[in-house]
Amino acid sequence: MKQLLILSGKGGTGKTTIASAFIKLSKAKAYADCDVDAPNLHLITKQNSLPKKTDYYGLPKAEIDIELCIECGQCMQNCRFEAISADGKYKVDPFACEGCGVCELVCPVEAVTLKPAVAGELLLYTDGEKVFSTAQLKMGSGTSGMLVTEVKKQMKSAAADVEFAIIDGSPGIGCPVIASLSGVDMVLIVAEPSISGISDMERIINTAAKFGVKTAVCINKFDTNMQNTEKIENFCKGQGISLLGRIPFDLDAVKAINNGQTIVDIDCASGAAVKAIYSKTMELLFEEGGGLRS
């Protein structure tokens, strides 16, 4: 399965807007939303069936058996996360507990145990021949990178015979992005012409380079700052990174998204630009070889 990952380095650049357009243009039979902290691809890619839901277990959480507890205070004194309080009875705050196990280790009467805890929920939509994999991390839960890995595994397992998949990645360069990058064939980075946008683009390019993944860039809302657009273009040229196109700022695109449509569902300037970028992306993805190209 060829996997195209769409990243941005920061939120709000239009990554999901472009991912949803690519899904529509390619008539993708397998796709995933790996932004498990705030998934929103499902808002545009309408699903005709209810998802199969599976609990995702992250790090275990400590629990105190009040029948065994002798209230010695060792657990609370040794918890570096201040997750244990003694308001009448000793208890653990599950949002603060990191599951390190120190409290279990120091308890003299074995009143503390680490128990599996649900940290999120995997969702799998199967609509005819289409497979859409996503997830939602619970508030305050960690291990988002591990959940992203499960999202991708779920997609590949359910769409084992599909040749091509599109993945909408997470913003930033943290664990979810690292997990998103693992095993993909190409990364399309959506950049915006702002100071922070340029900085974040450079960071995600450097991160992708560690994986040796074929990388390309497109510029969204390029006409909002032509000077910074030129900086992005010069950077890509200097690094030998394919620049696949520019997308103009387009109020019609905003209206389409607000109506639950992709920008290629309507006749608009941004949609036309994305169609051209899509064609170049597919050509680059399926060409022989990998890595960066000039």
Side-chain angles (χ1 to χ4, degrees):
M1 175 189 287
K2 286 275 190 181
Q3 297 180 57
L4 170 66
L5 173 64
I6 301 177
L7 293 176
S8 61
K10 68 181 289 292
T13 63
K15 168 180 60 64
T16 298
T17 298
I18 292 172
S20 63
F22 275 30
I23 290 167
K24 186 65 176 286
L25 290 169
S26 65
K27 298 180 181 179
K29 294 182 179 179
Y31 50 97
D33 187 350
C34 287
D35 187 358
V36 297
D37 289 291
N40 57 11
L41 184 59
H42 63 283
L43 299 176
I44 309 176
T45 56
K46 297 180 177 65
Q47 308 302 316
N48 296 320
S49 62
L50 295 175
K52 174 187 175 183
K53 298 181 179 181
T54 306
D55 285 338
Y56 164 71
Y57 289 86
L59 295 174
K61 302 289 184 180
E63 289 188 11
I64 299 173
D65 186 335
I66 59 174
E67 298 296 327
L68 296 177
C69 178
I70 59 174
E71 301 182 6
C72 66
Q74 285 297 311
C75 57
M76 186 168 66
Q77 293 171 24
N78 286 279
C79 179
R80 62 176 297 182
F81 303 105
E82 299 182 350
I84 300 174
S85 60
D87 185 13
K89 296 290 184 179
Y90 281 77
K91 60 183 179 181
V92 178
D93 178 356
F95 290 105
C97 177
E98 292 289 331
C100 68
V102 167
C103 54
E104 183 182 43
L105 179 67
V106 300
C107 180
V109 294
E110 298 183 352
V112 184
T113 54
L114 291 178
K115 295 187 176 181
V118 175
E121 188 175 54
L122 283 157
L123 297 97
L124 180 66
Y125 295 85
T126 52
D127 181 12
E129 295 182 341
K130 293 191 300 182
V131 170
F132 172 38
S133 178
T134 185
Q136 176 70 67
L137 195 68
K138 286 183 65 176
M139 181 180 67
S141 297
T143 65
S144 56
M146 292 171 61
L147 182 52
V148 166
T149 298
E150 293 303 315
V151 169
K152 293 171 65 180
K153 283 182 180 178
Q154 179 176 253
M155 178 190 71
K156 292 181 70 175
S157 176
D161 298 327
V162 176
E163 296 182 354
F164 168 61
I166 295 175
I167 300 171
D168 183 14
S170 300
I173 59 169
C175 291
V177 173
I178 300 299
S180 297
L181 278 164
S182 178
V184 303
D185 298 280
M186 178 178 167
V187 178
L188 175 64
I189 298 170
V190 182
E192 67 174 18
S194 64
I195 294 175
S196 62
I198 293 172
S199 174
D200 291 323
M201 176 198 70
E202 293 177 0
R203 292 199 309 160
I204 197 65
I205 285 173
N206 290 334
T207 303
K210 301 294 184 182
F211 287 79
V213 180
K214 187 183 298 185
T215 304
V217 171
C218 67
I219 308 173
N220 194 23
K221 297 173 284 190
F222 80 91
D223 47 351
T224 58
N225 190 317
M226 290 304 301
Q227 183 177 3
N228 283 335
T229 290
E230 291 177 7
K231 288 181 180 179
I232 293 172
E233 292 174 339
N234 290 334
F235 176 84
C236 290
K237 184 177 180 180
Q239 296 293 316
I241 298 171
S242 297
L243 182 66
L244 301 187
R246 300 169 162 187
I247 305 165
F249 176 73
D250 189 349
L251 289 176
D252 287 335
V254 177
K255 293 177 183 177
I257 297 300
N258 287 337
N259 288 329
Q261 298 175 293
T262 75
I263 60 174
V264 295
D265 285 323
I266 64 172
D267 183 13
C268 64
S270 59
V274 167
K275 289 177 182 178
I277 292 169
Y278 167 77
S279 296
K280 293 178 181 178
T281 301
M282 292 300 102
E283 179 184 349
L284 184 58
L285 174 64
F286 287 98
E287 74 176 7
E288 293 297 323
L292 305 180
R293 74 170 193 176
S294 57

